[in-house]
Amino acid sequence: MLIGLVRHGLTDWNAMGKIQGQTDIPLNEEGRRQARLLGERLRQEPYHWDFAISSGLSRAEETAQIIASMIGIPVAEPDPRVRERRYGQVEGLTAEEREARFGTDWHQQDLGQETDVELMSRGLVFLDDMAIKHRNSNILVVSHGGFLAQLYKLVCRGQLSQRIGNLSLTIVERKDDDWSPLLYNCTKHLLTEPAEGQGPNVLPTK
């Protein structure tokens, strides 16, 4: 079983540096273009995907729909377990606005945001539930950067730490009741000429 984990395409709030959290901000045209580029990549690669699923927030749902339409797979009902972290009072604020209002240690304060442990917990429950219900399927999951960063700490055993790019692709494989990463945070489909160090991050399997 494979699960392909994808961060949604660019939004205007992404471009402005605002934290989105669970605020429902739509894709912009660049985000839609990015989704089409990943869809084109997946059409040419040997992996077979059975269906896509998203968080239900419109930026993730539209990304999933664009990709799925290009590779001819259905989109399942959204699953709120792969929604972005709830950021509470800092949603909609830029870095400068966050620090002006709450200080540089805003992320250490209780401002209504979900904790890392809460994110990891719902992410792992989601993965294990998919493994039980769809053990013979390969699934594309379109989610969010903050959520995926915490999930990758689990499935990649904390070995990898990079900013999760819009429309990045990570592939994990279910092996012996555990998850093994095969590809990590790859955005080669967005690059006309991959810069050094920005090509596919292929990991050795266990």
Side-chain angles (χ1 to χ4, degrees):
M1 177 187 189
L2 300 179
I3 291 186
L5 296 157
V6 177
R7 185 186 174 196
H8 63 80
L10 191 74
T11 72
D12 287 345
W13 276 24
N14 286 150
M16 297 167 66
K18 292 185 175 184
I19 285 186
Q20 294 177 121
Q22 296 187 2
T23 306
D24 198 7
I25 306 301
L27 292 181
N28 60 23
E29 285 306 313
E30 174 60 16
R32 296 182 182 100
R33 186 187 75 87
Q34 292 172 335
R36 291 192 293 270
L37 288 172
L38 179 54
E40 183 60 35
R41 170 185 175 174
L42 295 179
R43 281 202 301 200
Q44 298 177 31
E45 292 190 338
Y47 293 118
H48 167 77
W49 302 102
D50 295 290
F51 67 91
I53 189 169
S54 80
S55 70
L57 294 174
S58 62
R59 57 190 183 272
E61 191 164 12
E62 185 177 4
T63 300
Q65 290 168 347
I66 291 171
I67 295 169
S69 68
M70 293 184 68
I71 61 175
I73 61 173
V75 179
E77 287 294 315
D79 194 316
R81 292 176 296 184
V82 299
R83 282 194 171 199
E84 180 60 292
R85 184 199 297 262
R86 184 184 67 253
Y87 278 98
Q89 296 179 55
V90 300
E91 291 192 14
L93 302 181
T94 64
E96 294 78 8
E97 291 167 340
R98 296 192 295 272
E99 292 184 8
R101 191 171 303 183
F102 302 111
T104 56
D105 65 343
W106 63 268
H107 55 286
Q108 298 176 350
Q109 302 175 40
D110 182 4
L111 300 172
Q113 65 269 46
E114 285 182 273
T115 65
D116 291 353
V117 171
E118 288 172 326
L119 284 174
M120 289 181 183
S121 176
R122 64 177 165 96
L124 188 58
V125 167
F126 170 80
L127 287 181
D128 288 345
D129 188 38
M130 293 297 102
I132 292 169
K133 294 179 178 177
H134 306 286
R135 64 179 182 172
N136 295 316
S137 298
N138 293 339
I139 308 167
L140 283 175
V141 178
V142 182
S143 184
H144 305 265
F147 170 80
L148 291 173
Q150 297 305 316
L151 184 60
Y152 295 163
K153 289 181 181 180
L154 288 175
V155 298
C156 299
R157 307 296 186 272
Q159 300 174 42
L160 301 167
S161 178
Q162 296 178 6
R163 180 184 176 277
I164 309 304
N166 289 104
L167 260 298
S168 67
L169 174 64
T170 295
I171 299 176
V172 296
E173 182 180 22
R174 185 73 171 184
K175 296 179 65 176
D176 301 325
D177 297 324
D178 200 2
W179 296 98
S180 297
L182 304 182
L183 185 72
Y184 176 70
N185 196 26
C186 181
T187 55
K188 71 175 185 178
H189 45 282
L190 303 182
L191 303 172
T192 53
E193 294 184 3
E196 183 178 354
Q198 294 189 31
N201 298 311
V202 181
L203 303 174
T205 58
K206 294 183 179 179

